[in-house]
Amino acid sequence: CNTIAILRRQFTVPCAFAMYGRVDRGGSREGKKSLRKNKIVLNDTVNAIKKGNLPADSGPVYSQSPPPLNDPRHGCAIVDSLCHLLNRQFDSDQLKVLQRASYNGVEAFIIMTTDPDKLELAQKLSKQNEGTMYYLAGLHTDMIKRNNDKVSTQRMDQLKEFALKPEAVGIICGLDFGRDVSIRYAQERLFESQLALAAEVQLPLVVFEVHAAETLAEKISIFKSTTSPAYDRPIAVYNFCGSAVEMSAFIALDMYFILTGRICDPTATGDTLRECIKNIPLNRLLLASDSPFTTPQNISDFHIRESRNEPANLTFVLSTLAEVYGLTLRDAASTVRANSKRFYGLLDTKEYKEETTEAEAVADGSGIHISTQHEQPATTTTSVMSAETKEKGKKGKKKEEEEEPTKMESKVAKSDKTKKGKKKDKNVALSEEEEEQQQ
C-alpha cells in the first residue's frame, strides 16, 4: 500500500502540471491562480465539444478605426509619437504634465507601456482623453525571462484583445541584443508572433532594436515578402540612432523613422547622428519625446535638462530637426504632424466630418446605404425598386394630367347634348298642346 501511494504521488502530480502548466527555464512553476484558470478553460472547452456548442470561426477580425483627432489650436501643433505616461514618475502630476505639453504645442499623445498589466489602464486613459490620446499595444523582450510558453500564450491573447480596441493605433515590439536579459531565439520568436498579430489585426508596427539592426531588417523583409495577404500597413523604427548603413537598409524597406532627443546631443555622437538623418526623406520622419527618458540636451535650463523628460520638451527636438533640414519651425511642425496622421491613420475632426458628409451625399445620390463599422452593408435592390416605383408613379401622374382636359371636353359635350335633347322635348310638348287647343 505504501509503495502504491508513493507511485501515485510521483506520477499524478506531474501529469496535472503537464495538462495545466509547465516548468519554465528558471525552474519555477506557474501560480495556483493561472493553473486554476487553465483548468477552468480546458473544462469549458471539453464540455462545449461534447455538446457541440463550439462557436464557428467568423474569419479575420480587424481593429476598429480610431476616433478623430481634435482640431489643432497651436500654430506649431505636433503629435508625440511615443511617450511613457503610465510610468510611475508621472503618477503624482500627470494632469499638469499634459497641460504643459498642450501649452507648448504637443496636442496629441501616443502612449505605451512595457507592463501588460497596465494595458487596461492605457485603454481607459485613452478613452477618457478621446481625440488627444491613443496607445500602442505590445510585449517587451524583458517579459520572456519570467514567463514560460503557457503564460506567453495568455499574454498574446490579452494583447490581441486590447489591439482590437478603437483607441489602439499600433503594435510595438523589438529585439534587444545589448543587455542579453533574455535568450535571443526566444526574443525572435516573440517578435515574429507580434508581427503576425499586426498583420492579423491590420495595425501599423513600431519596432525598436538594440544592437540588432541586421536581424531586425532581415525579419521585417521576410515578414513583408511572405505574409499572405500582403501586409500594407506602415512600419517605423523607434528611437533611431544607428549608422548610415543601417539607415539605408531601413529606407530600402520603406520604413518610417521616429526620432527622439538623441538628435539634440551636443557631443560628436550627436553630430554624426544629425549628419546621418539628413538622408531620410521628409515624409518618413516622426518625433517622440520618449518621456520620462531621453531628455533633450539642448535645453538651456540646467535643472530641466538634468531632470525627467516630459512631452513639453518635444519642441526642442522639433527645433533641432528644423535646423538640420533648413526649415522654419512652423513648416517642420506641419510636416511632422501630417506624417504622424498618415502613419497612425488619424484624421482631424474637421476632415472626419467632411469625409462623412461627402460619403453620405454620394450615398443619397446613388441610393446606396452606407454601413457603419458594426453594421452589415444593405443590398441595393430595395433602393432600386423604390426608384423604379417612383418613376412609374411620376409617369402615371403625367398621363393623368394629359388626360384631364380631354375628359373635361367630353363632359362638356355630353352636357350640351343633354341640354339640346331637353329643348327638343319641350318643343314637341308645346306643339302637341297647341294641336289639342285647336281641336
Side-chain angles (χ1 to χ4, degrees):
C1 294
N2 293 332
T3 54
I4 292 172
I6 291 169
L7 288 173
R8 282 180 180 175
R9 289 175 185 171
Q10 287 180 352
F11 289 103
T12 54
V13 175
C15 289
F17 276 103
M19 289 179 66
Y20 306 125
R22 298 179 184 176
V23 179
D24 66 2
R25 298 183 185 87
S28 60
R29 290 188 173 88
E30 296 182 37
K32 293 181 180 179
K33 290 184 179 179
S34 61
L35 294 174
R36 197 178 299 116
K37 287 180 181 178
N38 293 339
K39 185 175 180 179
I40 292 170
V41 171
L42 182 62
N43 291 336
D44 292 341
T45 52
V46 169
N47 294 330
I49 291 170
K50 288 180 180 179
K51 295 179 181 179
N53 296 329
L54 279 178
D57 188 9
S58 58
V61 179
Y62 302 129
S63 62
Q64 304 176 28
S65 58
L69 275 169
N70 293 333
D71 293 328
R73 301 180 301 274
H74 198 277
C76 297
I78 53 176
V79 178
D80 188 352
S81 292
L82 200 151
C83 53
H84 306 266
L85 285 180
L86 297 179
N87 191 284
R88 60 175 177 267
Q89 296 187 37
F90 295 120
D91 288 345
S92 59
D93 59 345
Q94 189 181 85
L95 182 59
K96 292 182 180 179
V97 168
L98 294 175
Q99 289 174 349
R100 284 193 291 269
S102 179
Y103 180 77
N104 284 280
V106 184
E107 298 182 355
F109 311 88
I110 312 296
I111 64 173
M112 63 92 57
T113 174
T114 56
D115 188 356
D117 294 330
K118 290 185 178 181
L119 281 173
E120 186 175 358
L121 180 59
Q123 193 264 338
K124 184 178 179 181
L125 189 63
S126 301
K127 195 171 184 178
Q128 290 175 352
N129 298 275
E130 184 174 316
T132 58
M133 193 174 293
Y134 307 86
Y135 71 93
L136 300 174
L139 293 178
H140 199 269
T141 54
D142 293 348
M143 297 299 298
I144 301 173
K145 183 181 179 181
R146 54 182 179 271
N147 287 342
N148 55 25
D149 296 339
K150 196 74 175 180
V151 179
S152 178
T153 304
Q154 294 174 357
R155 292 298 189 192
M156 289 301 298
D157 294 339
Q158 180 191 16
L159 183 62
K160 182 180 178 181
E161 178 186 352
F162 284 99
L164 292 172
K165 302 290 184 182
E167 294 81 14
V169 293
I171 301 293
I172 183 167
C173 54
L175 299 171
D176 186 354
F177 292 169
R179 296 178 298 162
D180 284 333
V181 175
S182 53
I183 303 173
R184 293 193 177 187
Y185 83 86
Q187 287 191 41
E188 294 176 7
R189 185 175 59 182
L190 179 63
F191 181 69
E192 291 171 355
S193 62
Q194 293 186 86
L195 293 180
L197 176 62
E200 183 181 355
V201 300
Q202 287 296 304
L203 280 177
L205 269 167
V206 178
V207 296
F208 61 89
E209 58 86 16
V210 179
H211 302 296
E214 185 178 354
T215 306
L216 186 76
E218 181 184 355
K219 293 291 181 184
I220 291 175
S221 178
I222 295 171
F223 166 70
K224 294 183 75 172
S225 60
T226 59
T227 304
S228 180
Y231 180 74
D232 57 352
R233 304 296 291 170
I235 305 175
V237 184
Y238 174 63
N239 203 0
F240 176 76
C241 54
S243 62
V245 177
E246 296 171 356
M247 183 195 65
S248 60
F250 293 141
I251 291 176
L253 292 171
D254 197 22
M255 296 175 66
Y256 285 72
F257 293 81
I258 301 179
L259 305 178
T260 62
R262 292 191 177 185
I263 66 172
C264 305
D265 189 359
T267 63
T269 304
D271 294 336
T272 305
L273 182 58
R274 284 188 291 274
E275 190 67 28
C276 179
I277 65 174
K278 286 182 180 179
N279 299 318
I280 300 175
L282 266 174
N283 62 346
R284 289 291 184 268
L285 285 174
L286 283 78
L287 295 182
S289 65
D290 194 32
S291 53
F293 316 108
T294 324
T295 305
Q297 295 301 301
N298 59 343
I299 302 174
S300 58
D301 192 330
F302 172 79
H303 297 285
I304 298 176
R305 189 171 65 245
E306 295 299 323
S307 61
R308 69 173 187 188
N309 192 17
E310 291 189 6
N313 297 331
L314 191 60
T315 54
F316 294 96
V317 185
L318 179 66
S319 63
T320 302
L321 183 71
E323 290 176 4
V324 170
Y325 282 88
L327 300 172
T328 63
L329 202 63
R330 187 178 293 270
D331 291 340
S334 62
T335 302
V336 170
R337 192 174 190 276
N339 295 342
S340 303
K341 287 167 56 181
R342 183 172 62 254
F343 179 82
Y344 290 113
L346 301 174
L347 290 174
D348 290 331
T349 305
K350 187 178 180 181
E351 296 172 349
Y352 181 79
K353 288 180 180 179
E354 288 176 356
E355 283 197 359
T356 52
T357 51
E358 287 178 2
E360 288 174 359
V362 171
D364 292 338
S366 60
I368 299 173
H369 172 72
I370 297 178
S371 62
T372 58
Q373 294 175 355
H374 308 287
E375 185 181 1
Q376 295 294 332
T379 57
T380 59
T381 54
T382 55
S383 59
V384 173
M385 290 295 292
S386 62
E388 289 178 357
T389 52
K390 286 179 181 179
E391 289 179 0
K392 288 179 180 180
K394 289 179 181 179
K395 289 179 180 180
K397 287 181 180 179
K398 287 182 179 179
K399 286 183 179 180
E400 289 177 358
E401 290 175 357
E402 291 175 356
E403 290 175 355
E404 277 182 1
T406 56
K407 289 180 180 179
M408 291 295 292
E409 290 175 359
S410 61
K411 286 181 180 179
V412 170
K414 285 180 181 179
S415 62
D416 291 340
K417 287 181 181 180
T418 52
K419 287 179 181 178
K420 288 179 182 179
K422 288 179 180 179
K423 285 181 180 180
K424 286 180 181 180
D425 294 337
K426 286 181 181 180
N427 294 330
V428 172
L430 288 171
S431 61
E432 288 179 355
E433 287 178 359
E434 287 176 356
E435 288 178 359
E436 286 177 0
Q437 288 175 3
Q438 289 177 2
Q439 290 176 0

